Amino acid sequence: MSDVNDFIAGLPKAELHLHIEGALEPEMMFALAQRNGVALPYADVEAIRAAYSFTRLQDFLDLYYRGMSVLLTEADFYDLTLAYLRRVAQDNVRHTEIFFDPQGHTGRGLAFETALNGISRALADGEAELGITSHIILCFLRHLPAEEAMATLDQALPHRDRIVGVGLDSSEQGHPPAKFKAVFDKARAAGFLTVAHAGEEGPPEYIWSALDDLQVLRIDHGVRALEDPDLMLELARRKMPLTVCPLSNLRLCVVDDMTAHPLKMMLDRGLVVTVNSDDPAYFGGYVNDNYYAVRQALALSDEELALIARNSFGASFLDEATKAKYIAEVDAYVASTGRSVAS
Ligand code: ADE
Ligand code: ZN
């Protein structure tokens, strides 16, 4: 590992855009299929990996929903989540905000609580074992009707103490955030914080809609904001965090080449950029791999890398004192490396 990658490896960081179902590695997919007697249309782990060649978001989503069919019991969600935490402990992730897709499971006949209980128990055990703090964010599947999202919100209401917020994911094109305005109004009134995928494949108008119709506190992806100068100014003015996922963008052909990724331009225009893995088991890398990829392709400086790590805590849903504690850890780390990095 190069010296600068050592710097990234040691940086304390938060991951704010991670679909837990997207952390299902082929080995675990196979093991759970056997444990649960689920038939998979793949001969072996290599065949699963070979299938992961995508030209757009929907190609990936089709395999992602098929993959999650092996998740049937609370123990499956527990094992998946603990494996993710143990993996990212190696990347010096100190805090994580995990998405889950309950409709991907209730639609297959699982109880709403099965996924939630497994995930939350693993997060508690993971914090005890690894010291990683966490929150859970429920995502609505935007390709399904708003009424089904509303019913899912109603199922979540009794578990408000374990779910910090709600988000919006799945097929973006043709499903603008405005479709879910009433759902998000009700979620905010119930005390949930809000985020939404917008401007991944969808146009800048969807980012405006996430801001104005859903009143989100973070934009997930948002890379197509570059196409709208007024939107760029507004995102900077609002200090709106963006959870950018570079390897995901590359693998889903949102960008043709990592050197063409807009992350550096977003930083240069003063946007609050964070770096995340999205679905690491499908896109070829966990959070540090995403930092390495953009550092190398875009020649990011140590200052920029440290800023991204600080942003990850600042943009989190932690309380202000805990954010400050983690940001001080970043500063102490940078000082300990002897690099001169302004805060
Ligand atoms: N669900 C899981 N990963 C996603 C992504 N990158 N975009 C939309 N929905 C998703
Ligand atoms: Zn995502």
Side-chain angles (χ1 to χ4, degrees):
M1 192 188 293
S2 71
D3 182 42
V4 70
N5 282 355
D6 280 348
F7 177 69
I8 290 170
L11 260 180
K13 55 187 74 71
E15 176 148 63
L16 304 181
H17 186 153
L18 178 280
H19 302 263
I20 196 63
E21 299 90 345
L24 180 59
E25 291 287 350
E27 288 77 7
M28 186 177 281
M29 191 189 294
F30 236 80
L32 294 182
Q34 284 190 335
R35 178 158 106 183
N36 292 328
V38 175
L40 282 174
Y42 308 105
D44 51 28
V45 164
E46 286 67 41
I48 301 181
R49 286 223 159 77
Y52 293 172
S53 166
F54 314 116
T55 58
R56 61 197 177 110
L57 174 59
Q58 193 61 47
D59 294 346
F60 153 70
L61 290 171
D62 293 343
L63 297 199
Y64 169 81
Y65 293 121
R66 180 189 292 171
M68 64 173 81
S69 68
V70 304
L71 298 165
L72 290 183
T73 68
E74 191 178 311
D76 300 337
F77 288 94
Y78 178 91
D79 292 348
L80 172 65
T81 306
L82 198 55
Y84 162 72
L85 291 176
R86 287 179 175 157
R87 174 61 189 79
V88 295
Q90 296 169 27
D91 285 8
N92 212 14
V93 167
R94 310 281 292 110
H95 176 73
T96 180
E97 302 193 348
I98 291 183
F99 295 138
F100 81 118
D101 284 334
Q103 291 163 284
H105 314 304
T106 55
R108 300 182 285 117
L110 274 60
F112 178 88
E113 287 74 17
T114 300
L116 179 62
N117 290 346
I119 295 166
S120 56
R121 206 157 49 76
L123 293 177
D125 288 355
E127 181 169 359
E129 178 185 317
L130 306 161
I132 300 175
T133 53
S134 60
H135 285 313
I136 297 176
I137 298 175
L138 176 167
C139 282
F140 302 113
L141 299 184
R142 70 201 303 161
H143 67 277
L144 297 176
E147 295 70 31
E148 293 183 23
M150 195 63 100
T152 302
L153 176 60
D154 288 337
Q155 290 178 304
L157 290 175
H159 306 291
R160 169 70 194 84
D161 57 330
R162 287 191 288 165
I163 302 174
V164 75
V166 300
L168 191 61
D169 66 0
S170 196
S171 322
E172 188 178 10
Q173 298 275 15
H175 302 286
K179 172 177 164 185
F180 297 93
K181 182 177 180 338
V183 179
F184 274 62
D185 283 347
K186 182 167 174 180
R188 275 187 281 97
F192 291 102
L193 306 177
T194 57
V195 299
H197 284 53
E200 178 185 17
E201 276 191 353
E205 290 72 30
Y206 285 20
I207 302 176
W208 283 112
S209 176
L211 296 176
D212 295 339
D213 296 317
L214 306 188
Q215 298 181 38
V216 295
L217 301 169
R218 297 196 296 248
I219 296 284
D220 296 314
H221 293 292
V223 287
R224 287 195 60 191
L226 260 296
E227 296 167 30
D228 181 338
D230 289 340
L231 177 58
M232 291 295 283
L233 291 173
E234 183 63 12
L235 291 169
R237 190 188 69 75
R238 293 192 192 206
K239 298 186 170 55
M240 177 60 53
L242 296 117
T243 62
V244 177
C245 306
L247 288 174
S248 164
N249 296 152
L250 186 66
R251 295 292 286 267
L252 299 184
C253 304
V254 169
V255 295
D256 295 334
D257 189 279
M258 199 57 93
T259 57
H261 196 283
L263 179 136
K264 168 91 173 118
M265 270 187 284
M266 296 163 88
L267 279 175
D268 289 347
R269 309 269 184 92
L271 300 194
V272 180
V273 172
T274 67
V275 165
N276 311 271
S277 71
D278 206 2
D279 301 282
Y282 290 86
F283 300 145
Y286 284 78
V287 63
N288 281 3
D289 300 309
N290 280 269
Y291 275 73
Y292 301 148
V294 285
R295 185 207 67 78
Q296 199 196 4
L298 305 174
L300 298 189
S301 65
D302 293 350
E303 273 94 330
E304 288 166 324
L305 296 166
L307 173 63
I308 291 168
R310 276 192 212 95
N311 285 347
S312 72
F313 294 114
S316 74
F317 293 147
L318 290 163
D319 63 71
E320 293 304 319
T322 311
K323 285 184 194 183
K325 183 198 81 167
Y326 280 130
I327 290 170
E329 281 186 29
V330 175
D331 293 341
Y333 169 73
V334 170
S336 77
T337 65
R339 286 172 155 87
S340 69
V341 177
S343 329

